[in-house]
Amino acid sequence: MMDAQLLPVLGSQRAGTATAQFLKIGVGARATAMGDAFVAIANDASALYWNPAGITQFQTNEVLVSHTNWFVDIQHQFIGAVYHLTPDDAVGLSVTSLHMDDMKVTTEFAPNGTGNYFTVGDLAFGVTYSRKLTPQFSFGSTIRYVEETMDVLKMRGVVIDLGTYYWTGLGTSRFSAVVTNFGNQMSPSGSITLYGGQTVNKFQEYPPPTNFKFGFAIDPIKDETNILTTAIQLNHPNDNSENISMGAEYGWMNTLFLRGGYKLNVEDQSFTVGGGLMTTISGISFHVDYGYAAYTNLGGVHRISMVVKL
């Protein structure tokens, strides 16, 4: 007799029904090492991806560079910058790229290649604005242009992120609600010629990978030397089942950091680990992080990122 699941697999039948899947790849080694349970923390430049309301949760101007070695030699890059207009207003810009080496064109009669090559790649450009409406409550939004290239076809669209950040007033507890990648359905443009000479220029439309996220975080330990941050997050994607992310971060002297996380009800994913080091040179702080995410069948994913605080 099988054990009952903590979360029912409701919605798994929706798997594969959304496009622009690269938008779901987490950004920043710090957040991903905490199991992606980050919307209620989001207190560095990676908030441009996780929760746009988070860019008002810190006062420094920051630049984030993130690199991910994704599966089968796919490379994922993210660059983001946050600038504070006032103590209560901040703006940000971000660029996301997914790319790989050119691949051989193969056919039934040329399984080793025809001599031609094709490429696949994704790009996204985001503009973010956030305002602290009260000392406890912040709101933010991102507008993101998305472009996918699939050989001779291109798919373009615009998606929106909306985020909130609320300090409850009970110790260090805070709560966030975020919706990411909300937008109209998209379909490729262009035409392809099938084997046999038939031309196809109309394609099915698919929605972007919208995800509703609800997160809670608290610092059970916080003093001049040690800080322990814990977080839990409920995720409701439009193309899969609901799932839960949990994560923790321990910091010593605001210099050395250790992190871990775990995901429930996410197929092929389980634990995450990582660490970070922060140092200051000539008044500029550098925060370098590493994260590892374990996958049951596909192996592991390595991430490295750096935040420069000005």
Side-chain angles (χ1 to χ4, degrees), residues 280-303:
T280 301
I281 302 175
S282 300
I284 300 177
S285 295
F286 297 86
H287 203 153
V288 180
D289 298 300
Y290 167 79
Y292 174 83
Y295 288 77
T296 306
N297 298 307
L298 298 174
V301 170
H302 301 272
R303 289 179 175 86

Side-chain angles (χ1 to χ4, degrees), residues 241-273:
S241 303
E242 289 76 13
N243 59 83
I244 292 176
S245 301
M246 299 178 292
E249 175 186 66
Y250 168 75
W252 179 76
M253 297 291 292
N254 199 32
T255 301
L256 181 65
F257 300 87
L258 299 175
R259 308 179 182 101
Y262 196 83
K263 296 183 179 181
L264 296 173
N265 208 43
V266 181
E267 187 176 359
D268 198 48
Q269 298 185 47
S270 56
F271 72 90
T272 58
V273 294

Side-chain angles (χ1 to χ4, degrees), residues 224-245:
E224 294 181 356
T225 303
N226 306 285
I227 181 170
L228 176 65
T229 301
T230 60
I232 186 169
Q233 183 175 304
L234 173 64
N235 306 297
H236 177 81
N238 68 340
D239 61 347
N240 218 311
S241 303
E242 289 76 13
N243 59 83
I244 292 176
S245 301

